[in-house]
Amino acid sequence: MEEEDLRLAPRTKAAELLAWAEAGGRAPVADAAVRAVLALLELGEGRMHDGWPELTSNAVEHLLYERLHLYVQPAPEQDPAAYGEAVRLLIDHQRAAKRLNAKRQERLHAEAEWQGEVAAGLLRRADLVTWPRLYTLLLRADGVDVTDEAAVREWLAAFRELPEEDRRAAYGAPAAAGLLDEPDDRGWGEGWMISVGMATDGARRLLEQGLMRRSYRNLAELTALGRPMPDELAGDFGAFEEAAARAAVELFGEWTVPGLPRLLVAEFPDLAPEPGQEEIDAYLAGLPEDPSEEQWEDLPEELWAGLPAE
């Protein structure tokens, strides 16, 4: 498998954008935010031009409202507003490169400003958190050296040994510390865990699809260079899908704790359960057959889509 040919992992122009900002005397924007924004835009469904994403209202909304909160957990010293700032920096860069006119620049700036505020709020919502984001908060709170994968593994192993009620209580620690909002009235019970598992599974699959779609886009480059289509794209997709799955997990780690998502999937899946349809159906079956409006309020929002239409 020649991943260099498939170019699975994004090779963003974050360094170039940051250098441009510094040369222009602009206020600094967090490096991690710039890299995450450029990577997620590249893995979206928008077009790319010379390595830069094409900025549209839909692309900005898709990034800041629908995707960002699935993947990133800002470092303690980083303002969550940095992601909106990174988008606005990119908008100005694209205007300077004559890829946007003044009217579009102004409109996108306004949209990125308020969507960035929305994104910062979404990052606080406990019902939207994913397992890698949650465990990132727990690891940092316990003072674990998150740059040391062995230390992260050791902490996860110790956490696994705790009684289930203690683990569930620990999930509420970030809210108690003011890092997340409380999950409404339903608490940190089974419904919340199913919601987190579903969000995590969906986030990883979206990354895999984005990586594969990006590789297909880059086939035009290989063709232009007279190079043959990689075998993984020409017939048997098994190796290609496996490589995309691995790359997705590693990317997830870049935006939380390196190696953490891989550990949760490969070694500690019991600490980060991702329910299948059978578990979801069983949960729904345990709800009252004729629930009142108040009883339905406890059902995680993400599960409403699975209910039969009236």
Side-chain angles (χ1 to χ4, degrees), residues 34-94:
V34 171
R35 295 183 185 282
V37 160
L38 287 177
L40 285 169
L41 283 171
E42 186 169 350
L43 294 176
E45 298 181 4
R47 300 173 61 186
M48 299 287 294
H49 296 287
D50 298 327
W52 299 99
E54 181 180 283
L55 290 171
T56 64
S57 296
N58 285 341
V60 170
E61 180 179 6
H62 190 253
L63 168 71
L64 295 175
Y65 184 70
E66 298 181 21
R67 292 292 176 90
L68 191 71
H69 65 267
L70 294 173
Y71 300 109
V72 304
Q73 186 55 55
E77 69 277 7
Q78 181 184 315
D79 185 350
Y83 299 101
E85 294 171 359
V87 175
R88 297 198 297 276
L89 178 64
L90 178 60
I91 291 168
D92 290 345
H93 177 273
Q94 293 299 276

Side-chain angles (χ1 to χ4, degrees), residues 276-300:
Q277 192 60 49
E278 184 175 342
E279 291 94 336
I280 296 170
D281 290 343
Y283 173 75
L284 294 175
L287 296 175
E289 292 184 5
D290 187 22
S292 66
E293 182 178 347
E294 290 76 18
Q295 289 170 315
W296 279 112
E297 288 177 356
D298 291 335
L299 185 65

Side-chain angles (χ1 to χ4, degrees), residues 82-159:
Y83 299 101
E85 294 171 359
V87 175
R88 297 198 297 276
L89 178 64
L90 178 60
I91 291 168
D92 290 345
H93 177 273
Q94 293 299 276
R95 168 59 179 161
K98 302 187 184 303
R99 291 188 172 94
L100 296 173
N101 59 37
K103 185 176 182 179
R104 285 186 64 199
Q105 178 193 25
E106 182 179 0
R107 185 181 72 249
L108 288 173
H109 242 290
E111 293 172 355
E113 184 171 0
W114 74 266
Q115 289 280 6
E117 294 174 1
V118 170
L122 295 176
L123 286 169
R124 292 188 54 84
R125 284 181 51 177
D127 59 327
L128 297 179
V129 77
T130 53
W131 288 122
R133 287 189 54 217
L134 181 64
Y135 279 104
T136 295
L137 290 169
L138 297 179
L139 286 161
R140 290 172 179 167
D142 274 3
V144 178
D145 181 1
V146 294
T147 65
D148 182 349
E149 186 169 319
V152 172
R153 179 185 284 106
E154 182 179 353
W155 184 93
L156 289 170
F159 191 75

